[in-house]
Amino acid sequence: MTVLAAGMIGISILHFVTGAGQAPSLTANDPRFVLYAVLVAAMGYYAWAGFTRSRNPEPQLVIDHDGIAVGFGRNRRFAWNEILWVRLRRLGFRPQLQIGLVPETFMRTDLRLSMWNLDDGLRPIRGAPAAVAVRDNGLDARASAMLDAVRSFRPNLVKS
């Protein structure tokens, strides 16, 4: 992700330096300048996020006999008695492990879920106020393997 984002920034700069296209004027009145500035900021963020994530070797989701621990910068552990249900769902091509929590636990942990869902492994689930979805992409285990791990510790929590 870091290499791709940095490469996209470099290609756009190279495009204008070589004269292949008319460069935007450096004012906020030029909509092309505003567009490129926003794109550079977004690609810079993704480059930074990719670099910092590559430096963190710890697993983002751990399922063991004590419960489920989520990383993603939150570093929270949910004991099995705080989890109501777990299921596997697909959002487009991306499988997600959805975890329903006891409402008091969900409020107490303050997971800081983003309403924009910009490149975050944890996201809220629409229509389920005390539940969180863990996206499969970029993790060291597939969502189906995570569901199997939950099934091995607490099969009664798995919901279809």
Side-chain angles (χ1 to χ4, degrees):
M1 185 167 38
T2 302
V3 173
L4 181 65
M8 291 176 73
I9 293 170
I11 288 170
S12 64
I13 291 171
L14 184 65
H15 176 73
F16 293 120
V17 169
T18 60
Q22 182 183 2
S25 60
L26 300 177
T27 66
N29 294 332
D30 187 352
R32 292 180 308 142
F33 173 74
V34 174
L35 174 69
Y36 278 105
V38 169
L39 291 175
V40 164
M43 290 298 108
Y45 166 75
Y46 284 117
W48 173 78
F51 179 74
T52 56
R53 288 181 188 159
S54 70
R55 307 289 295 160
N56 182 4
E58 295 185 21
Q60 298 303 307
L61 190 75
V62 176
I63 301 169
D64 59 17
H65 65 280
D66 293 328
I68 299 176
V70 294
F72 304 101
R74 278 84 164 185
N75 302 325
R76 303 283 194 263
R77 175 173 282 283
F78 301 109
W80 288 118
N81 62 352
E82 299 173 325
I83 299 170
L84 297 174
W85 53 265
V86 178
R87 68 181 173 200
L88 187 66
R89 289 283 188 256
R90 289 196 177 276
L91 179 63
F93 292 113
R94 294 181 173 173
Q96 300 177 344
L97 185 70
Q98 297 181 342
I99 305 169
L101 301 169
V102 173
E104 294 81 19
T105 300
F106 184 81
M107 296 300 291
R108 186 179 63 244
T109 57
D110 185 27
L111 291 172
R112 300 181 320 272
L113 299 176
S114 169
M115 64 184 271
W116 301 107
N117 300 323
L118 295 174
D119 194 40
D120 193 357
L122 290 180
R123 48 186 296 150
I125 300 172
R126 189 173 292 145
V132 63
V134 180
R135 291 193 332 194
D136 178 278
N137 57 325
L139 297 179
D140 58 349
R142 311 295 308 159
S144 58
M146 291 184 268
L147 184 67
D148 290 339
V150 170
R151 193 174 282 130
S152 71
F153 289 107
R154 295 291 195 270
N156 60 322
L157 295 178
V158 177
K159 182 177 161 183
S160 53

